[in-house]
């Protein structure tokens, strides 16, 4: 079981980044997926979630209208397009697979976790 996030980096405020999450085939096609982030000194928070077929998506209020979650089941890959980035978006971003096929913003329903990627937004 593997999940690997990539695509992070340093960007100026107002810029964009696209994160990718590559997953093992066995835990991707039938699972809801999510993106989480954790900033220094803060608790981990869920940013966005997507159902197994991409038909349902949820976002935390702070990123609505700026971030877009998507997935390509043929490639076992999930994405997070981040636009209009702000310094407060700076965090380590991690992807996770849920125990269920639907989209969920409930942390306890996530079962598999990947290694994160650092996103730093400068002002």
């Amino acid at each position: 079981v593997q999940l690997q996030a990539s695509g992070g980096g340093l960007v100026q405020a107002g810029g964009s980044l696209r994160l990718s999450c590559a997953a093992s085939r066995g835990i991707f096609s039938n699972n809801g997926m999510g993106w989480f982030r954790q900033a220094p000194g803060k608790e981990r928070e869920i940013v966005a979630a997507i159902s197994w077929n991409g038909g349902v998506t949820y976002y935390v209020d702070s990123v609505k209208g700026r971030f877009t979650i998507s997935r390509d089941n043929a490639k076992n890959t999930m994405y997070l397009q981040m636009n209009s980035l702000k310094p407060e978006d700076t965090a380590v971003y991690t992807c996770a697979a849920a125990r269920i096929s639907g989209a969920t913003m409930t942390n306890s329903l996530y079962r598999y976790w990947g290694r994160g990627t650092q996103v730093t937004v400068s002002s």
Side-chain angles (χ1 to χ4, degrees):
V1 174
Q2 286 188 321
L3 292 168
Q4 179 65 58
S6 62
L10 174 63
V11 63
Q12 289 188 331
S16 298
L17 282 173
R18 188 193 196 200
L19 305 184
S20 297
C21 174
S24 299
R25 183 176 180 180
I27 63 165
F28 190 82
S29 298
N30 298 317
N31 295 75
M33 299 288 293
W35 282 101
F36 292 75
R37 67 184 180 187
Q38 187 167 19
K42 294 187 177 181
E43 293 187 355
R44 182 174 60 196
E45 68 167 344
I46 187 166
V47 174
I50 189 167
S51 61
W52 72 276
N53 63 353
V56 178
T57 58
Y58 298 130
Y59 299 91
V60 68
D61 286 346
S62 59
V63 307
K64 284 181 180 177
R66 300 189 298 122
F67 290 11
T68 302
I69 188 172
S70 62
R71 66 190 294 164
D72 184 339
N73 286 356
K75 296 181 179 180
N76 294 332
T77 303
M78 176 178 66
Y79 306 97
L80 185 67
Q81 178 67 44
M82 306 186 295
N83 299 329
S84 302
L85 283 162
K86 304 176 181 180
E88 51 264 43
D89 293 320
T90 295
V92 174
Y93 285 71
T94 305
C95 55
R99 303 171 185 268
I100 61 173
S101 60
T104 180
M105 298 292 276
T106 303
N107 289 14
S108 62
L109 290 179
Y110 283 86
R111 180 178 184 182
Y112 301 108
W113 297 85
R115 299 181 65 181
T117 185
Q118 175 70 46
V119 172
T120 303
V121 184
S122 63
S123 58

